[in-house]
Amino acid sequence: MRTLTIKPKAITHNLNQVKKMAPQAKVLAMVKSNAYGHGVAAVLPALQQADGIGVATFIEALEARQLGWKKTIGLVEGAFTADEWQQAIEQDISCVIHHEPQLEWALDNIPPANSATRVVWLKYNTGMNRLGFNAESVMTAAKRLHEAGYQLILATHFANADNRTHPLNSKQIQRFTNVLKALRETISANIKGSLCNSAGIVNFSEHHHEWVRPGIILYGSSPVIDKSAHELDLQPAMNFSAQIIALQTVSANDAIGYGSRWVAQQDTKTALVSVGYGDGYPRVVNGDAYVSVIDSTNNRSYLCTVIGRVAMDMIVIDVSAVPEDVALLDSQVMLWGDAPHIDEVAVHADTISYELLCRVTMRPKRIQA
Amino acid sequence: MRTLTIKPKAITHNLNQVKKMAPQAKVLAMVKSNAYGHGVAAVLPALQQADGIGVATFIEALEARQLGWKKTIGLVEGAFTADEWQQAIEQDISCVIHHEPQLEWALDNIPPANSATRVVWLKYNTGMNRLGFNAESVMTAAKRLHEAGYQLILATHFANADNRTHPLNSKQIQRFTNVLKALRETISANIKGSLCNSAGIVNFSEHHHEWVRPGIILYGSSPVIDKSAHELDLQPAMNFSAQIIALQTVSANDAIGYGSRWVAQQDTKTALVSVGYGDGYPRVVNGDAYVSVIDSTNNRSYLCTVIGRVAMDMIVIDVSAVPEDVALLDSQVMLWGDAPHIDEVAVHADTISYELLCRVTMRPKRIQA
């Protein structure tokens, strides 16, 4: 059975790691894209010690409210329409305001004084060049919002925080710091700041400001290029496993799978595992990609390379080095989780763990550990 | 709103194309992996003229029965356990038998004479080297199953049918034809054959035998490397779209997105589209990947390249060549569907349409056209 095991305790552990790294800041825990594929219903109870959650769409915000989340919800791209702004007020959601139309919606339709929607995350574009006001217009926007009674959090987003020495980081930090200082001096000393995603939390501890916005780090992946999840004491929150459904020995010179891409150099013991890209395992992995066959009796596991093309419903693995009483029909195979770590799988798939997590399909059975 | 529009009429059209190409054969329409991501509930009504459906897991088979599918269901990897074999009998499911354990389950537990489970798809490994008996053991297995009262369909699977001139194709065809002939001569003239997936249907019309097993072709993608979906008169069954949520002009030398991978050569009008890998758009696309901005008033569309890194919740596109009254806030953007065709997107993402279809996440709203 293809199985996705979600570990809420790992998420709580990882949240605590964030709190240790950013002890002064409030935490907006990112649960967009169905909590990075983990399932928002499974994840919210593990985030009770967060100060708020962040989502990308109004539907995600609504889902969290329906699941009983009472604290802050930050809509990180803001309302998409004037109508969504009105709905945000009704659901007490705090919105990003990143361009003029959103500013006008907010000024035309001011929520009640006690509404969470009175708190807005004003987005300043410091170099990501996707969302946000420029330095001049952000000052004007802030002034107008403040005068209309909004409480402001100045927010920006790093483009390269994973790579601490990238030259854009210091520029983004400098621009943000300058504007925040100017806003506090000219508009209100109460304006808050939010600069750091997961990578920023790790790499720029002196710039955490009032709110940090951890995402991937909560799910147990490393957000930075020079430290592993293990080095950051993070726990993977998702185990993705399947089972061996056939065993065979292929002869030397036999090819396996679509495109006959892998050719046996010698007689090779292989196992067929009932999982594929139809479950969310990436179709394109390089020849070094591996999974682990679990020996549950002895609490051991054996790394096995994935050979041939990943298909929709199955992969073939080389079990030559696995004891015969371990590589059996029905034996459990871990695609990612405790081992291999998803960050390693991502490298073999030329992507990042974020994408693998989000794109697991609905076919695997979902359980919680 | 991220939207996935499923077009059952396109699927029926594509099924009719299959029937035209293989007029003598019965059709086992593949609906595994949630009907290649289209949603099995939306797809089954469009397949009423198929003779059966194919699924990869027992849960998928059960789901189809619960949705009211009364005709043949083929479980293409067969039962995974003796217990699943028993459940297959209870649900009248026809199973592949590809190795000794499945053979023993079938011989130990023979379904009633009128059960669909009396029909088995006996898998012969002709060169894919994933599943199936070899030439010698398949004869023995066939004899034992026949004597136990089973009706047999000899089945195999091409490794390279998309590439008509690949040398393995003729070998697989020859092996299959030889064994089928021998089975008919020595065991029963009533043994059927099934060789062709979508690509086989297109490329090997003289080898359709009694059952063909179309998959990707039903969903409107080309299964072969030398003919487009258009040339095969197939209709895409999924439109994937989203909306522009911000517009801006980036200055020359400004970089966009994570990793600052894309740098503007000149001042460039860009649009932010609310879709990303968290919705199932592939994260890794090359610099030629494009989407289309829809001008619904004039029933036109404008191709725009995707610039910078695809993120979880958004992409940036170059709208320099789109009229200002078309590239507007809320304008619809098509990721794949009528244009660009998903086969083109797959090329830019270094994969095949099958994977893109299966790995759309649950975030986009699903509707039918």
Side-chain angles (χ1 to χ4, degrees):
Chain A
M1 179 80 80
R2 299 115 153 109
T3 306
L4 213 60
T5 307
I6 304 303
K7 299 186 284 182
K9 282 179 191 158
I11 292 171
T12 301
H13 167 88
N14 298 333
L15 173 61
N16 285 333
Q17 293 302 103
V18 169
K19 286 169 158 285
K20 279 187 207 164
M21 283 186 263
Q24 310 299 323
K26 288 189 177 180
V27 174
L28 191 80
M30 302 310 296
V31 298
K32 55 202 178 78
S33 196
N34 201 24
Y36 290 46
H38 292 68
V40 71
V43 166
L44 288 184
L47 294 174
Q48 291 304 314
Q49 297 307 312
D51 301 284
I53 56 171
V55 297
T57 72
F58 185 77
I59 290 169
E60 291 176 341
L62 200 57
E63 188 183 5
R65 280 283 180 252
Q66 285 165 347
L67 287 165
W69 184 264
K70 303 255 189 273
K71 291 197 250 187
T72 292
I73 298 181
L75 187 57
V76 298
E77 295 169 22
F80 292 176
T81 61
D83 184 53
E84 268 195 14
W85 173 260
Q86 174 58 36
Q87 292 176 283
I89 294 174
E90 289 162 17
Q91 296 292 333
D92 250 357
I93 291 160
S94 299
C95 294
V96 160
I97 290 183
H98 63 76
H99 64 170
E100 287 293 333
Q102 291 176 331
L103 179 61
E104 298 306 325
W105 304 332
L107 295 172
D108 288 349
N109 188 355
I110 298 172
N114 61 350
S115 165
T117 313
R118 277 284 186 112
V119 178
V120 297
W121 302 68
L122 182 61
K123 190 80 168 244
Y124 169 32
N125 173 23
T126 55
M128 184 71 157
N129 293 318
R130 297 189 311 185
L131 296 177
F133 294 92
N134 63 26
E136 189 181 348
S137 58
V138 79
M139 295 293 296
T140 316
K143 189 158 182 293
R144 295 179 70 193
L145 288 164
H146 176 73
E147 285 171 358
Y150 286 96
Q151 298 156 48
L152 301 183
I153 303 166
L154 185 73
T156 196
H157 199 66
F158 280 115
N160 299 283
D162 58 324
N163 178 5
R164 200 171 52 80
T165 59
H166 192 287
L168 189 57
N169 290 320
S170 57
K171 287 186 193 164
Q172 290 194 268
I173 291 170
Q174 193 59 54
R175 288 169 186 155
F176 183 81
T177 310
N178 289 349
V179 164
L180 184 59
K181 183 163 177 282
L183 289 177
R184 285 174 174 170
E185 285 172 2
T186 61
I187 296 175
S188 165
N190 280 329
I191 293 175
K192 316 290 188 206
S194 179
L195 174 61
C196 289
N197 57 3
S198 292
I201 293 166
V202 173
N203 276 339
F204 302 108
S205 57
E206 65 277 40
H207 300 289
H208 286 160
H209 294 279
E210 284 75 21
W211 280 91
V212 292
R213 308 186 306 266
I216 192 66
I217 199 169
L218 297 173
Y219 304 100
S221 277
S222 172
V224 296
I225 59 172
D226 58 347
K227 289 194 191 77
S228 70
H230 180 75
E231 288 170 310
L232 294 167
D233 187 13
L234 303 174
Q235 297 175 3
M238 178 192 287
N239 279 351
F240 185 16
S241 65
Q243 277 168 304
I244 292 177
I245 63 162
L247 293 151
Q248 66 174 347
T249 300
V250 294
S251 306
N253 302 317
D254 277 352
I256 285 186
Y258 285 115
S260 302
R261 286 159 47 98
W262 186 89
V263 179
Q265 301 301 302
Q266 61 214 22
D267 292 3
T268 306
K269 286 190 209 169
T270 65
L272 196 78
V273 183
S274 65
V275 74
Y277 62 78
D279 303 284
Y281 192 76
R283 176 174 171 271
V284 180
V285 293
N286 66 35
D288 297 325
Y290 58 90
V291 299
S292 61
V293 175
I294 310 293
D295 174 4
S296 50
T297 312
N298 297 304
N299 201 22
R300 283 196 56 177
S301 68
Y302 296 85
L303 301 181
C304 299
T305 53
V306 178
I307 56 183
R309 196 47 116 172
V310 171
M312 190 182 293
D313 312 299
M314 47 185 129
I315 60 174
V316 180
I317 62 175
D318 180 347
V319 293
S320 303
V322 183
E324 284 199 356
D325 61 346
V326 174
L328 298 169
L329 218 56
D330 269 356
S331 287
Q332 202 188 12
V333 177
M334 188 169 289
L335 290 315
W336 63 64
D338 297 326
H341 193 281
I342 193 167
D343 290 340
E344 298 168 272
V345 181
V347 168
H348 295 307
D350 189 27
T351 189
I352 52 178
S353 62
Y354 312 53
E355 182 181 30
L356 298 179
L357 293 168
C358 288
R359 291 179 75 194
V360 175
T361 75
M362 293 312 290
R363 188 157 69 179
K365 182 180 175 185
R366 279 160 165 74
I367 61 175
Q368 286 182 38
Chain B
M1 180 82 80
R2 299 112 153 111
T3 306
L4 213 61
T5 308
I6 304 303
K7 299 186 284 182
K9 282 180 191 159
I11 293 171
T12 301
H13 167 87
N14 298 333
L15 173 61
N16 285 334
Q17 293 303 104
V18 169
K19 285 169 158 285
K20 278 187 208 165
M21 284 186 263
Q24 310 298 326
K26 287 188 177 180
V27 174
L28 191 80
M30 304 309 296
V31 298
K32 56 204 178 75
S33 196
N34 201 24
Y36 290 45
H38 292 68
V40 72
V43 165
L44 289 184
L47 294 174
Q48 291 305 314
Q49 298 306 312
D51 300 285
I53 56 171
V55 297
T57 72
F58 185 76
I59 290 169
E60 291 176 340
L62 200 60
E63 187 183 6
R65 281 282 181 252
Q66 285 166 346
L67 286 165
W69 184 264
K70 303 254 189 273
K71 293 198 249 188
T72 293
I73 298 181
L75 188 57
V76 300
E77 295 168 22
F80 292 177
T81 62
D83 184 53
E84 267 195 13
W85 173 260
Q86 175 58 38
Q87 292 175 281
I89 294 173
E90 288 162 17
Q91 296 291 333
D92 250 357
I93 291 160
S94 300
C95 294
V96 161
I97 290 182
H98 64 75
H99 64 170
E100 287 293 333
Q102 291 177 331
L103 178 63
E104 298 306 325
W105 303 333
L107 294 171
D108 287 349
N109 188 355
I110 297 173
N114 62 350
S115 165
T117 314
R118 276 285 186 110
V119 178
V120 298
W121 303 69
L122 182 61
K123 190 80 168 242
Y124 170 31
N125 173 24
T126 56
M128 184 71 159
N129 293 317
R130 296 188 312 184
L131 297 177
F133 294 92
N134 64 25
E136 189 180 348
S137 58
V138 79
M139 296 294 295
T140 316
K143 189 160 183 293
R144 294 178 69 194
L145 287 165
H146 176 74
E147 285 170 358
Y150 286 96
Q151 299 156 48
L152 302 182
I153 303 165
L154 185 73
T156 197
H157 198 66
F158 280 115
N160 300 283
D162 57 325
N163 178 4
R164 202 172 51 80
T165 59
H166 192 288
L168 189 58
N169 290 321
S170 57
K171 287 186 194 166
Q172 289 194 267
I173 290 170
Q174 194 58 54
R175 289 170 186 153
F176 183 79
T177 309
N178 289 350
V179 164
L180 184 58
K181 184 163 177 284
L183 289 177
R184 285 175 175 170
E185 285 173 0
T186 60
I187 296 174
S188 165
N190 281 328
I191 294 175
K192 315 292 189 207
S194 180
L195 174 59
C196 289
N197 56 3
S198 293
I201 292 166
V202 173
N203 275 339
F204 302 108
S205 58
E206 64 277 40
H207 300 289
H208 287 160
H209 294 280
E210 285 74 22
W211 280 91
V212 292
R213 307 185 307 267
I216 192 66
I217 198 169
L218 297 172
Y219 305 100
S221 276
S222 173
V224 297
I225 59 173
D226 58 346
K227 289 194 190 76
S228 71
H230 181 74
E231 288 170 308
L232 293 166
D233 188 13
L234 303 174
Q235 296 175 4
M238 179 193 286
N239 279 351
F240 185 16
S241 65
Q243 276 167 302
I244 291 177
I245 63 161
L247 293 151
Q248 66 174 347
T249 299
V250 294
S251 306
N253 301 317
D254 277 353
I256 285 186
Y258 285 115
S260 303
R261 287 159 46 96
W262 186 90
V263 179
Q265 301 302 301
Q266 60 212 25
D267 290 5
T268 306
K269 287 189 208 170
T270 65
L272 196 78
V273 183
S274 64
V275 73
Y277 62 78
D279 303 283
Y281 192 76
R283 175 175 171 272
V284 180
V285 292
N286 65 35
D288 297 325
Y290 58 92
V291 299
S292 61
V293 175
I294 309 294
D295 175 4
S296 51
T297 312
N298 297 304
N299 202 23
R300 283 195 58 176
S301 67
Y302 296 85
L303 300 181
C304 300
T305 53
V306 177
I307 56 183
R309 196 48 116 173
V310 170
M312 190 182 293
D313 311 300
M314 47 185 129
I315 60 174
V316 180
I317 63 175
D318 180 346
V319 292
S320 303
V322 182
E324 282 199 359
D325 60 345
V326 174
L328 298 169
L329 218 58
D330 268 357
S331 287
Q332 201 187 16
V333 177
M334 187 169 288
L335 289 316
W336 63 65
D338 297 324
H341 194 281
I342 192 167
D343 290 341
E344 298 167 273
V345 182
V347 168
H348 295 307
D350 190 27
T351 189
I352 53 178
S353 61
Y354 312 53
E355 183 183 29
L356 298 179
L357 293 168
C358 288
R359 291 178 77 193
V360 176
T361 76
M362 293 313 289
R363 187 158 66 179
K365 182 181 175 186
R366 280 159 166 75
I367 61 175
Q368 287 183 36

